[in-house]
Amino acid sequence: MPDSQKYSGLGYWIGQFAFSALLAILGLAGGVYMLIDSGSENPSSSTGVGEGAIVLLVGIVFLLLLIWLIVSFVAQSRQQRAVYAWAIMQDYVSRNPGARATRPGRAVRGDIASMATAARARDGVLGYEEVLRLQALRPEVPYPGDLEALRLAAAAPSRIPDTPQERERRRAEWAADDGDARARLDAAGLGGPGLVHRTRLVTRVVGWAAVAAFLTSAWLKSPAPATTTFLALTGLWCVLRLVTGLLQDARTRRGRALAHAWLSEAEKSDRGLPTPFDEFFKTSLGAWWIRLLTPMALLGVFFLLGGLANIGRASDPVERVVFVGMACAAAGFFFASIALRIVAARRAAVDRDRLRAYRRGREALSSEDAETARRGA
């Protein structure tokens, strides 16, 4: 089939973009309007500052969802995007007869199993038989990936032991390797999340406290104490996220060093990377700046909206220039956070590929076990 006739998945992605963008625009515009209107001398409606703040927060949530979709779209190749959308829509349309592929609706957004299967298909770890099962749900929509390569890989002689005895022997070796890996991590002080987990928990508490302070200041029409508390908690939240990222990077480097030492041992490297080492490749290095991207985006949105909302109230040209400059700087922070998220997403994709390569036979046998369990169910 010519490449031009292959399923591209653009309908799925456009539908997701349009839905998120529409609700983000409605939430942000409606929230700003309600906040400005409630503060005027002659408000046009009975809605107060609290309702405006809630609508604004809803708009921010969908704006962040839109950013996540854009980052995911850009960080994937054209074929990965097509395969991801194809896997989701095969399952969705088969469960919802008559549904349009360009309008996935609520069922797809809430179907975690379909998204997990689509992620495996995008990453190239979905088996040939599973792809055929999805293809059979809608035979008129062909698989957009390289189906022949999957068939050849499935037909090729497997390095995985075929007999039950060999499989059990291999699992026993893996269990011993996992125990040895845990012992090495415990000896290095990496047996548990430790300080990273505690710092992350404190960061979440401070973040939610900042949200509560913001809602309180909005409800009380921004009195000085509530606003000051919100700004102080927001600053502390950013610092804690930076500290958590630094601690996470230090832990990840130490864990990867132990993993590479393991892989350098010739008699063990062919058995694949033990499971306890997986976490150090699932988290990319650079967590110290990756964890600052969310504060950058949120602060950019807050200051952008604040600058735009107050431009019309400026009493003189100098004050107006200040609000315009604040809005421009906030927009710069916001778009910089999006660009850096694309870099972070690509780095995470590289780490996923590296982990699959290190896992070797473990990954393949785990996939076969999952497929066997699915058939049994």
Side-chain angles (χ1 to χ4, degrees):
M1 177 177 294
D3 290 344
S4 60
Q5 298 180 12
K6 283 187 177 180
Y7 179 80
S8 65
L10 286 178
Y12 167 81
W13 290 102
I14 291 173
Q16 296 293 312
F17 290 146
F19 177 81
S20 301
L22 176 62
L23 291 184
I25 292 172
L26 291 176
L28 294 175
V32 171
Y33 173 78
M34 291 169 67
L35 289 174
I36 295 176
D37 183 67
S38 61
S40 63
E41 296 181 358
N42 298 309
S44 59
S45 66
S46 60
T47 57
V49 177
E51 291 87 342
I54 293 174
V55 173
L56 180 62
L57 287 176
V58 170
I60 292 174
V61 168
F62 280 99
L63 178 62
L64 295 177
L65 175 60
L66 178 62
I67 294 172
W68 178 80
L69 288 170
I70 293 173
V71 170
S72 299
F73 183 84
V74 175
Q76 299 173 28
S77 67
R78 180 179 299 179
Q79 179 169 300
Q80 285 178 322
R81 293 193 292 262
V83 169
Y84 184 87
W86 176 86
I88 283 186
M89 296 313 305
Q90 290 295 104
D91 185 52
Y92 170 72
V93 176
S94 67
R95 289 186 287 106
N96 298 270
R100 294 183 59 185
T102 58
R103 296 180 182 177
R106 293 188 298 272
V108 171
R109 293 194 302 274
D111 195 341
I112 299 176
S114 294
M115 295 179 69
T117 300
R120 292 175 58 223
R122 175 200 61 202
D123 296 336
V125 297
L126 199 64
Y128 176 66
E129 293 186 358
E130 181 68 8
V131 171
L132 291 182
R133 182 189 71 81
L134 291 174
Q135 179 68 84
L137 298 176
R138 286 198 304 165
E140 71 278 7
V141 183
Y143 175 66
D146 193 343
L147 190 60
E148 182 64 16
L150 289 177
R151 187 189 67 79
L152 293 176
S158 176
R159 296 174 57 189
I160 303 173
D162 294 324
T163 64
Q165 295 79 8
E166 285 297 310
R167 287 174 178 266
E168 290 304 318
R169 183 186 65 80
R170 178 61 62 91
R171 289 192 177 92
E173 289 180 344
W174 287 347
D177 289 345
D178 289 348
D180 189 7
R182 290 191 188 93
R184 295 191 186 193
L185 291 174
D186 289 338
L190 300 175
L195 186 58
V196 175
H197 176 73
R198 291 192 292 272
T199 308
R200 187 175 295 152
L201 181 61
V202 173
T203 303
R204 289 188 186 134
V205 172
V206 172
W208 283 112
V211 172
F214 171 77
L215 294 176
T216 302
S217 64
W219 182 264
L220 300 176
K221 297 184 178 180
S222 300
T227 302
T228 302
T229 302
F230 165 69
L231 294 176
L233 289 173
T234 301
L236 179 60
W237 178 60
C238 294
V239 171
L240 287 174
R241 287 184 72 89
L242 173 61
V243 172
T244 303
L246 291 171
L247 294 174
Q248 182 68 64
D249 278 344
R251 174 181 169 81
T252 300
R253 287 192 183 92
R254 294 176 61 195
R256 290 191 181 190
L258 291 176
H260 290 142
W262 174 281
L263 293 172
S264 66
E265 300 178 14
E267 71 276 8
K268 295 181 178 180
S269 60
D270 287 340
R271 294 202 292 267
L273 190 70
T275 302
F277 290 130
D278 286 0
E279 65 166 297
F280 302 106
F281 295 93
K282 291 180 179 179
T283 302
S284 300
L285 286 171
W288 67 271
W289 63 265
I290 292 174
R291 292 188 64 82
L292 291 179
L293 298 182
T294 297
M296 282 178 63
L298 289 177
L299 290 174
V301 170
F302 284 134
F303 285 111
L304 177 63
L305 294 176
L308 294 177
N310 287 281
I311 287 175
R313 301 181 181 181
S315 59
D316 56 68
V318 175
E319 190 177 17
R320 186 179 184 87
V321 169
V322 170
F323 287 129
V324 171
M326 185 175 71
C328 292
F333 274 110
F334 178 74
F335 289 112
S337 70
I338 296 178
L340 290 174
R341 280 195 181 277
I342 294 173
V343 176
R346 289 178 174 172
R347 178 176 291 190
V350 171
D351 286 335
R352 286 195 299 268
D353 293 339
R354 182 183 293 117
L355 178 58
R356 283 197 297 271
Y358 288 163
R359 292 279 290 173
R360 296 188 176 92
R362 286 174 176 244
E363 188 75 26
L365 188 53
S366 298
S367 298
E368 286 196 3
D369 289 342
E371 178 64 17
T372 301
R374 188 192 64 79
R375 290 178 181 177

